[in-house]
């Protein structure tokens, strides 16, 4: 069809040239008809030759334009497919088809790196399946693209695969993979030269040697650009899809607002936002986020958000917001600007997190940090905070404040006998009564256990504080009912007032506690006001306790021994008496430090030291004593009722080598009356061990006679208070006579303490007393003096003193 058209055009052109030649000849006029015809022929020949050349050139250009137009149309169709979001595999297959149409006799493979497979995937229409499905080929292409390349040249080209000299170190594996399929030349171009292994590459395979021409290379470049667009579009859509799914699935509310609009309307809100706020997407779209604010939203937080939005910067804060139904929620919000490529803020993204539950827990923790869990009253931390504030206020306005330390008397037996649940209910009742008794402006707290503390401010005088304390005592004294039990309580209260000498507010608590402790010592159920002498005594007591611990650690103690003399003048044994020689304060009386040691538990360590030391000293005196001599040791109630008392005693006897029959333990009546059944069990165990037991200070306790016949004891020691006025006091003589008679009927040995005169000794001897102890015979002596005393008696046996 095209050839016929060209012939027609040529004939028309010849006739035109002949006619033109005739006209020219006639015009010239100098030639005849034949000359005109000849001239026309010459002109026709010349014109035909030029016209033929023009027509040939026109035809080539037409073909060029035609193919360029078709190529452009193909490219436009591919671009349209990419813009429409066609599947990327379909687009890549179309690119392969496009190249194979533009470059004859080639097979095109596109390697895509954007897949789940680490080696990517191969896409082709015409290459053999065994080739484009080969994992080795994918791996070889990936290896090639990972090496540095010139962005203006293909990463790899081989014009003759069979030419081993053309193979490079990196191309050899690919050449070896392609040769078996009949390909003789390859051309590998990255889709993105700046990052060759990020997107993929385009591979041309040809069965004959040779490289693509320059126009074909240009077509390849255009094709790689289209492939890159397709893959980037696919990747972008995948990323957008992931981002959208992430936003949709997020548990945090997300909103996107328009930054360039005056009211910054909401463009997008995810489902979590709707769930948190109660508003649907349609209800929030186009609105400003301020509709979440309410009357409790802090003005400062509003201002902070407005300032951050106007400055186009991030902000992170927690605000009070409101749901659609009006309920308040705590919103931890993070707002961040989105900027365009030129740096202008186009949108804002807000991330909302409902932290109401966390806030609730924080408030609970804060409450429990400052309040008592049982009664709901404030605790020590809250009290000290209020105390600091009120003390400062009192100083400023010259007011009087007071601290009342309230401690329930004998509350522990309620827990021990009725259980802690009953005790807790009683404490709750006490707290309610105290709250009803005090003024609304006063601060009442529980420090723990059965201790309550009351802070009174703006007082007129001490009398007002004492009146309130009286009301507290009266309120606590009223009966309590718990599980059909009627319980009665009392309280000891210490009062401390602020003064100009107060350095630290917490000192008021200490002073009130000291005063309460004194009220306890004075018989409980009373009120005591703090005075400086209380502080002095308690300070001395505290210092003595600390010194006592140092004395235990440094072994500042020693033992003195006072002999026990039988009726016939022989030595029955010695009583070990503890002495403390303080390095700075001198001798400290046992009457001062023993009670403290018993209250603090330090008596345990002291008692063990005394027992071990006394046992060793007695054994050291064996050569100067009869075989049956005893060492008598006072036993503390704390030691006696300790769970491991018997075990510790047995270990001490074993370690020292002292026979149990030569040890006598002295117990007061009070120890035995405290837990009679438990005491009897322990006494029987001591009896079975062979240890002697003496009841010390007999006659000063109560109800001892009714239990005496059940106690496995060996000795009664008559208290010195009955000996002092012998023999002139007939009543004391009668009491002593009765004790001696009773003891002898129970087969017990009687020891008279505090014998200081010969008349006392003679009177006791006349009453048939068994053993004597006192200054009349000897004062307590240190160990070396005991040795000298025994030696002196041996050389003068008749001298009893």
């Amino acid at each position: 069809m095209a050839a016929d058209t060209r012939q027609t055009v040529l004939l028309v052109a010849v006739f035109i040239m002949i006619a033109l030649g005739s006209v020219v000849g006639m015009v010239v006029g100098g030639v005849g008809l034949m000359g005109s015809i000849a001239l026309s022929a010459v002109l026709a020949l010349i014109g035909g030759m030029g016209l033929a050349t023009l027509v040939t050139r026109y035809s080539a250009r037409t073909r060029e334009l035609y193919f360029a137009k078709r190529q452009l149309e193909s490219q436009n169709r591919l671009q349209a497919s990419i813009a429409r979001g066609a599947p990327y595999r379909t687009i890549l297959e179309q690119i392969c088809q496009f190249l194979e149409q533009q470059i004859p006799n080639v097979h095109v493979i596109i390697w895509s790196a954007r897949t789940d497979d680490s080696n990517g995937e191969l896409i082709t229409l015409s290459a053999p399946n065994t080739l484009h499905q080969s994992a080795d080929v994918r791996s070889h292409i990936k290896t090639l693209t990972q090496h540095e390349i010139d962005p203006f040249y293909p990463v790899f080209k081989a014009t003759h695969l069979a030419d081993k000299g053309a193979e490079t170190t990196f191309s050899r594996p690919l050449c070896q993979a392609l040769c078996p399929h009949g390909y003789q030349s390859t051309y590998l171009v990255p889709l993105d030269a700046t990052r060759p292994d990020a997107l993929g590459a385009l591979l041309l395979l040809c069965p004959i040697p040779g490289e693509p021409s320059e126009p074909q290379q240009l077509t390849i470049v255009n094709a790689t650009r289209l492939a890159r667009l397709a893959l980037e579009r696919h990747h972008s859509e995948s990323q957008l899809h992931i981002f959208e799914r992430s936003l949709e699935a997020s548990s945090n509310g997300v909103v996107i607002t328009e930054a360039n609009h005056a009211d910054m309307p909401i463009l997008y809100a995810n489902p979590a936002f709707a769930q948190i706020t109660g508003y649907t997407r349609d209800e929030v779209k186009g609105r400003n986020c301020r509709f979440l604010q309410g009357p409790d939203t802090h003005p400062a937080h509003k201002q902070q958000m407005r300032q951050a939005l106007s400055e186009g910067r991030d902000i992170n804060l927690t605000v009070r917001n409101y749901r659609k139904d009006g309920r308040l929620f705590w919103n931890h919000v993070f707002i961040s600007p989105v900027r365009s490529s030129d740096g202008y803020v186009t949108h804002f993204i807000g991330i909302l997190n409902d932290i109401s539950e966390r806030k609730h827990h924080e408030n609970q923790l804060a409450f429990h940090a400052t309040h008592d869990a049982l009664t709901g009253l404030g605790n020590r931390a809250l009290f000290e905070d209020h105390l600091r504030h009120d003390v400062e206020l009192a100083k400023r306005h010259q007011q009087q404040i007071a601290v009342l330390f309230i401690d329930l008397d004998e509350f522990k037996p309620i827990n021990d006998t009725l259980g802690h649940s009953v005790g807790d209910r009683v404490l709750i009742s006490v707290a309610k009564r105290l709250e009803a008794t005090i003024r609304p402006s006063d601060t009442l707290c529980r420090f723990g256990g059965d201790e309550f503390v009351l802070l009174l401010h703006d007082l007129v005088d001490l009398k007002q504080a004492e009146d309130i304390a009286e009301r507290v005592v009266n309120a606590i004294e009223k009966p309590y009912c718990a599980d059909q039990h009627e319980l009665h309580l009392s309280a000891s209260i210490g009062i401390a007032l602020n003064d100009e000498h107060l350095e630290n507010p917490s000192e008021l608590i200490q002073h009130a506690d000291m005063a309460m402790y004194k009220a306890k010592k004075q018989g409980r159920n009373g009120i005591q006001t703090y005075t400086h002498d209380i502080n002095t005594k308690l300070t001395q007591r505290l210092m003595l306790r600390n010194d006592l611990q140092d004395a235990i650690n440094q072994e500042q103690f020693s033992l003195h021994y006072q002999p026990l003399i039988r009726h016939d003048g022989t030595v029955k044994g010695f009583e070990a008496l503890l002495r403390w020689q303080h390095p700075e304060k001198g001798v400290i009386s046992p009457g001062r430090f023993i009670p403290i040691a018993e209250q603090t538990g330090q008596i345990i360590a002291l008692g063990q030291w005394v027992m071990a030391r006394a046992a060793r000293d007695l054994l050291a005196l064996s050569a100067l004593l009869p075989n049956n001599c005893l060492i008598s040791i006072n036993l503390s109630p704390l030691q006696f009722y300790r769970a491991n008392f018997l075990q510790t005693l047995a270990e001490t006897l074993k370690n020292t080598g002292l026979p149990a029959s030569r040890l006598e333990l002295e117990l007061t009546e009070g120890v035995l009356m405290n837990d009679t059944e438990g005491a009897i069990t322990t006494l029987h165990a001591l009896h079975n061990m062979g240890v002697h037991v003496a009841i010390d200070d007999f006659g000063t306790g109560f109800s001892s006679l009714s239990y005496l016949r059940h106690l496995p004891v060996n000795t009664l020691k008559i208290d010195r208070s009955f000996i002092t006025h012998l023999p002139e006091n007939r009543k004391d003589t009668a009491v002593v006579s009765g004790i001696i008679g009773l003891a002898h009927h129970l087969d017990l040995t009687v020891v008279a303490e505090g014998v200081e005169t010969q008349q006392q000794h003679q009177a006791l001897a006349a009453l048939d007393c068994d053993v004597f102890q006192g200054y009349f015979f000897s004062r307590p002596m240190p160990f070396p003096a005991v040795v000298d005393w025994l030696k002196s008696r041996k050389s003068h046996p008749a001298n009893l003193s």
Side-chain angles (χ1 to χ4, degrees):
M1 186 71 179
D4 294 340
T5 303
R6 289 196 295 272
Q7 291 175 359
T8 301
V9 172
L10 181 59
L11 289 174
V12 172
V14 171
F15 284 119
I16 293 173
M17 294 300 294
I18 292 171
L20 182 61
S22 299
V23 173
V24 171
M26 293 174 65
V27 172
V28 172
V31 294
L33 179 60
M34 292 304 291
S36 299
I37 294 172
L39 182 60
S40 298
V42 173
L43 291 174
L45 180 60
I46 295 171
M49 293 173 62
L51 183 61
T53 303
L54 290 173
V55 169
T56 301
R57 290 179 179 176
Y58 172 77
S59 298
R61 183 62 178 166
T62 300
R63 284 196 304 271
E64 232 177 84
L65 292 174
Y66 173 75
F67 287 118
K69 178 182 178 183
R70 289 188 61 185
Q71 187 181 45
L72 184 59
E73 289 174 349
S74 297
Q75 292 180 16
N76 289 339
R77 284 195 298 270
L78 288 170
Q79 289 177 349
S81 296
I82 295 171
R84 288 195 305 269
Y88 82 100
R89 287 187 62 90
T90 301
I91 296 173
L92 295 182
E93 289 174 353
Q94 291 174 357
I95 293 173
C96 292
Q97 184 181 24
F98 164 72
L99 281 175
E100 291 174 354
Q101 289 174 351
Q102 299 296 321
I103 306 174
N105 301 322
V106 297
H107 293 167
V108 180
I109 297 177
I110 297 178
W111 173 68
S112 171
R114 294 291 177 85
T115 65
D116 295 334
D117 194 318
S118 61
N119 287 326
E121 65 173 331
L122 297 178
I123 299 169
T124 184
L125 290 176
S126 55
N129 290 337
T130 55
L131 181 63
H132 81 263
Q133 293 178 357
S134 170
D136 290 338
V137 173
R138 285 182 283 148
S139 177
H140 297 331
I141 296 175
K142 179 181 179 181
T143 301
L144 283 174
T145 57
Q146 287 175 339
H147 295 282
E148 296 181 3
I149 64 168
D150 187 333
F152 299 103
Y153 294 95
V155 67
F156 166 70
K157 61 180 177 179
T159 57
H160 201 310
L161 297 179
D163 184 4
K164 294 186 178 180
E167 296 179 2
T168 64
T169 303
F170 303 118
S171 64
R172 184 176 296 112
L174 183 58
C175 292
Q176 292 174 349
L178 297 177
C179 276
H181 296 279
Y183 297 111
Q184 294 191 30
S185 63
T186 62
Y187 197 79
L188 181 64
V189 184
L191 299 183
D192 187 349
T194 60
R195 43 191 184 131
D197 62 339
L199 286 176
L202 190 148
L203 179 67
L204 276 74
L205 307 174
C206 188
I208 60 174
E211 295 185 23
S213 63
E214 290 186 8
Q216 289 173 342
Q217 290 182 14
L218 181 59
T219 301
I220 293 171
V221 170
N222 292 334
T224 58
R225 290 172 180 168
L226 292 172
R228 181 172 69 246
L229 285 174
L231 287 174
E232 288 180 340
R233 171 66 182 266
H234 170 69
H235 178 66
S236 299
E237 288 179 347
S238 299
Q239 291 294 104
L240 287 173
H241 180 67
I242 292 172
F243 293 153
E244 184 177 359
R245 290 291 301 274
S246 299
L247 291 178
E248 296 289 316
S250 174
S251 60
N252 294 330
V254 179
V255 291
I256 301 176
T257 65
E258 173 67 54
N260 295 325
H261 192 281
D263 204 34
M264 296 185 183
I266 294 175
L267 302 177
Y268 168 83
N270 71 340
F273 178 86
Q275 184 177 2
I276 291 172
T277 64
Y279 293 94
T280 64
R281 295 190 188 187
D282 293 337
E283 289 175 327
V284 302
K285 195 171 183 179
R287 300 179 65 181
N288 185 279
C289 290
R290 71 174 67 93
F291 69 86
L292 294 175
Q293 298 173 1
D296 288 339
T297 305
H298 202 287
H301 292 161
K302 297 179 185 179
Q303 178 60 30
Q304 290 175 24
M305 283 192 285
R306 284 195 294 267
Q307 186 72 20
L309 293 175
S310 64
E311 296 175 0
R313 58 178 174 81
D314 294 343
I315 185 170
N316 185 4
L317 74 166
T318 300
V319 296
R320 288 174 180 259
N321 282 154
Y322 288 83
R323 310 183 203 274
K324 182 179 179 180
D325 58 9
R327 290 182 297 127
L328 180 148
F329 74 98
W330 284 99
N331 179 15
H332 181 77
V333 60
F334 175 76
I335 303 174
S336 182
V338 178
R339 299 182 184 275
S340 61
S341 58
D342 54 4
Y344 288 100
V345 177
T346 59
H347 300 83
F348 282 99
I349 295 180
I351 300 176
L352 290 71
N353 190 6
D354 182 0
I355 60 168
S356 301
E357 186 174 354
R358 191 181 80 188
K359 271 288 186 180
H360 175 68
H361 289 319
E362 289 177 354
N363 292 336
Q364 283 187 323
L365 290 174
F367 179 83
H368 290 309
T370 57
H371 288 76
D372 172 52
L374 177 65
T375 63
L377 298 177
N379 60 11
R380 179 184 289 271
L382 181 67
F383 187 85
E384 290 179 348
D385 182 65
H386 285 200
L387 180 61
R388 284 191 294 269
H389 174 268
D390 286 2
V391 166
E392 187 63 32
L393 200 65
K395 287 181 179 178
R396 193 177 307 150
H397 300 288
Q398 297 182 344
Q399 295 175 340
Q400 185 79 64
I401 66 172
V403 172
L404 275 63
F405 203 105
I406 306 164
D407 188 273
L408 303 181
D409 298 325
E410 296 297 325
F411 179 77
K412 187 176 182 298
I414 295 177
N415 282 333
D416 294 342
T417 57
L418 301 180
H420 285 274
S421 61
V422 173
D424 288 347
R425 291 202 295 273
V426 172
L427 289 174
I428 293 172
S429 298
V430 170
K432 291 179 179 178
R433 292 187 186 183
L434 293 177
E435 285 182 301
T437 302
I438 64 176
R439 301 172 301 179
S441 58
D442 298 331
T443 300
L444 174 65
C445 294
R446 178 182 177 227
F447 274 15
D450 56 0
E451 295 178 344
F452 297 84
V453 184
L454 179 59
L455 175 59
L456 309 175
H457 64 88
D458 195 16
L459 296 176
V460 177
D461 52 19
L462 172 62
K463 180 66 168 56
Q464 187 178 3
E466 291 175 340
D467 291 342
I468 294 175
E470 286 287 350
R471 292 204 303 268
V472 168
V473 169
N474 294 335
I476 292 176
E477 283 182 338
K478 295 178 181 178
Y480 300 85
C481 293
D483 291 348
Q484 299 179 349
H485 296 284
E486 185 176 271
L487 304 175
H488 295 269
L489 288 175
S490 62
S492 299
I493 301 178
I495 303 175
L497 300 175
N498 66 317
D499 55 30
E500 65 277 6
H501 303 296
L502 188 68
E503 297 181 359
N504 191 330
S506 61
E507 292 178 9
L508 278 178
I509 302 176
Q510 299 172 1
H511 295 168
D513 191 11
M514 293 177 186
M516 181 276 298
Y517 180 78
K518 184 174 182 180
K520 290 274 189 186
K521 291 188 67 176
Q522 291 179 342
R524 298 181 173 85
N525 194 26
I527 301 169
Q528 178 66 46
T529 301
Y530 171 82
T531 56
H532 289 289
D533 68 308
I534 295 177
N535 186 26
T536 301
K537 292 179 180 178
L538 289 179
T539 300
Q540 292 175 351
R541 175 185 175 85
L542 178 62
M543 293 178 62
L544 186 60
R545 175 182 177 175
N546 295 335
D547 290 345
L548 182 59
Q549 188 61 49
D550 291 339
I552 294 173
N553 297 335
Q554 299 170 12
E555 294 190 4
Q556 296 176 1
F557 296 98
S558 63
L559 290 181
H560 285 207
Y561 299 95
Q562 189 171 32
L564 302 172
I565 306 299
R566 289 192 179 92
H567 189 277
D568 60 1
T570 60
V571 178
K572 179 180 183 293
F574 293 89
E575 180 179 359
L577 300 171
L578 188 62
R579 296 292 183 263
W580 180 12
Q581 179 72 34
H582 192 281
E584 297 177 357
K585 301 175 182 178
V587 176
I588 298 179
S589 167
R592 289 186 60 196
F593 71 82
I594 291 295
I596 295 177
E598 288 180 341
Q599 291 173 5
T600 61
Q602 294 168 313
I603 194 66
I604 300 298
L606 273 177
Q608 291 177 355
W609 180 86
V610 168
M611 195 168 296
R613 181 62 180 270
R616 291 189 178 95
D617 284 352
L618 182 67
L619 292 175
L621 295 173
S622 295
L624 300 175
L625 294 173
N627 292 334
N628 58 350
C629 272
L630 302 175
I631 186 69
S632 185
I633 299 174
N634 291 281
L635 196 65
S636 163
L638 200 61
Q639 289 176 275
F640 183 76
Y641 286 108
R642 200 169 180 85
N644 63 344
F645 163 63
L646 294 173
Q647 179 184 352
T648 302
L649 175 62
E651 290 176 356
T652 301
L653 293 175
K654 179 180 178 181
N655 293 336
T656 59
L658 181 71
S661 59
R662 300 188 64 183
L663 174 64
E664 183 175 68
L665 299 178
E666 296 188 11
L667 304 173
T668 62
E669 288 182 274
V671 174
L672 302 178
M673 296 303 106
N674 185 38
D675 179 12
T676 305
E677 293 183 4
I680 291 175
T681 300
T682 303
L683 290 175
H684 278 292
L686 292 173
H687 178 75
N688 294 334
M689 291 173 62
V691 176
H692 292 252
V693 177
I695 298 179
D696 196 14
D697 301 332
F698 187 81
T700 59
F702 301 94
S703 304
S704 59
L705 294 178
S706 61
Y707 292 104
L708 189 58
R709 55 194 177 93
H710 300 294
L711 299 178
V713 297
N714 306 91
T715 304
L716 293 183
K717 297 187 73 173
I718 303 175
D719 187 72
R720 67 179 62 246
S721 61
F722 297 105
I723 307 301
T724 302
H725 301 291
L726 290 181
E728 63 271 13
N729 189 308
R730 292 185 303 166
K731 293 183 179 180
D732 287 345
T733 302
V735 170
V736 171
S737 177
I739 292 174
I740 294 173
L742 174 66
H744 287 168
H745 280 90
L746 296 175
D747 297 326
L748 300 177
T749 301
V750 179
V751 177
E753 294 181 300
V755 180
E756 297 182 356
T757 65
Q758 185 174 4
Q759 291 79 11
Q760 292 172 349
H761 173 239
Q762 291 174 347
L764 290 168
L767 295 174
D768 204 16
C769 182
D770 301 307
V771 181
F772 311 96
Q773 177 183 355
Y775 287 176
F776 177 68
F777 302 96
S778 173
R779 290 177 175 273
M781 301 170 287
F783 181 78
V786 173
V787 174
D788 294 339
W789 184 81
L790 288 174
K791 289 180 179 180
S792 173
R793 283 179 57 84
K794 234 178 180 184
S795 59
H796 302 86
N799 187 5
L800 295 179
S801 60

